[in-house]
């Protein structure tokens, strides 16, 4: 399944809308028994840009799928591209435990959410 997710992420990368950075990212998420893909979607107002990972996650969640198991990420870099902090926080919200990161050379490595976001924000109790 990891290789399948990576293959789908590579396909999704082709659909990136990245005219400002030129940096294409693709993601593929296993949610329930389906794969949801995403690519980064940039905006001339840079803060309105959405990362590939969040596009994939929001597609699944907006279709009622919250059982999110693993997400693969690939970019144009020859190095690993790790999910940004905002995307990691969104992954934490839906307990995505496995993050498969391309090494930029045809391979990949699997990380846990705890490895990439060890001090998650998860408590808004005021007492
Ligand atoms: N980007 C992603 O889509 N995912 C990441 O994990 C890192 C960054 C996008 C956002 C922006 O379109 C471009 O990469 C450069 O930051």
């Amino acid at each position: 399944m990891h290789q399948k997710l990576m293959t789908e992420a590579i396909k999704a990368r082709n659909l990136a809308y990245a005219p400002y950075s030129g940096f294409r990212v693709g993601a593929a998420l296993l949610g329930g028994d389906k794969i949801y893909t995403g690519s980064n979607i940039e905006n001339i107002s840079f803060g309105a840009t959405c990362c590939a990972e969040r596009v994939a996650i929001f597609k699944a969640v907006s279709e009622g799928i919250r059982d999110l198991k693993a997400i693969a990420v690939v970019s144009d870099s020859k190095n690993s591209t790790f999910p940004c902090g905002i995307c990691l926080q969104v992954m934490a919200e839906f307990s995505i435990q496995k993050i498969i990161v391309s090494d930029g050379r045809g391979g990949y490595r699997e990380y846990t959410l705890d490895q990439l976001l060890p001090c998650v924000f998860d408590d808004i109790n005021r007492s």
Side-chain angles (χ1 to χ4, degrees):
M1 181 50 82
H2 288 23
Q3 186 56 59
K4 171 78 178 152
L5 286 175
M6 195 47 75
T7 302
E8 292 303 314
I10 291 166
K11 282 197 237 165
R13 183 181 60 183
N14 291 328
L15 300 173
Y17 176 72
Y20 304 104
S21 72
F23 190 75
R24 302 176 311 156
V25 184
L29 168 73
L30 180 62
D33 57 4
K34 275 181 62 181
I35 293 176
Y36 296 84
T37 58
S39 56
N40 52 330
I41 304 175
E42 297 188 344
N43 192 281
I44 193 164
S45 175
F46 295 167
T49 291
C50 195
C51 292
E53 296 92 320
R54 272 176 289 147
V55 170
I57 295 166
F58 293 160
K59 278 168 72 176
V61 174
S62 66
E63 291 187 18
I65 306 302
R66 296 184 187 169
D67 173 26
L68 311 184
K69 299 177 176 93
I71 187 164
V73 187
V74 64
S75 75
D76 280 325
S77 173
K78 297 224 168 0
N79 301 305
S80 294
T81 295
F82 290 95
C84 77
I86 295 175
C87 288
L88 289 171
Q89 188 68 42
V90 172
M91 290 175 199
E93 187 71 28
F94 296 101
S95 306
I96 301 176
Q97 295 301 337
K98 277 187 200 170
I99 302 159
I100 304 147
V101 179
S102 164
D103 65 9
R105 281 162 264 113
Y108 56 80
R109 234 188 104 175
E110 182 187 321
Y111 299 85
T112 63
L113 186 64
D114 279 357
Q115 283 176 301
L116 300 188
L117 189 63
C119 298
V120 64
F121 173 59
D122 65 355
D123 186 356
I124 55 170
N125 288 317
R126 288 176 295 155
S127 55

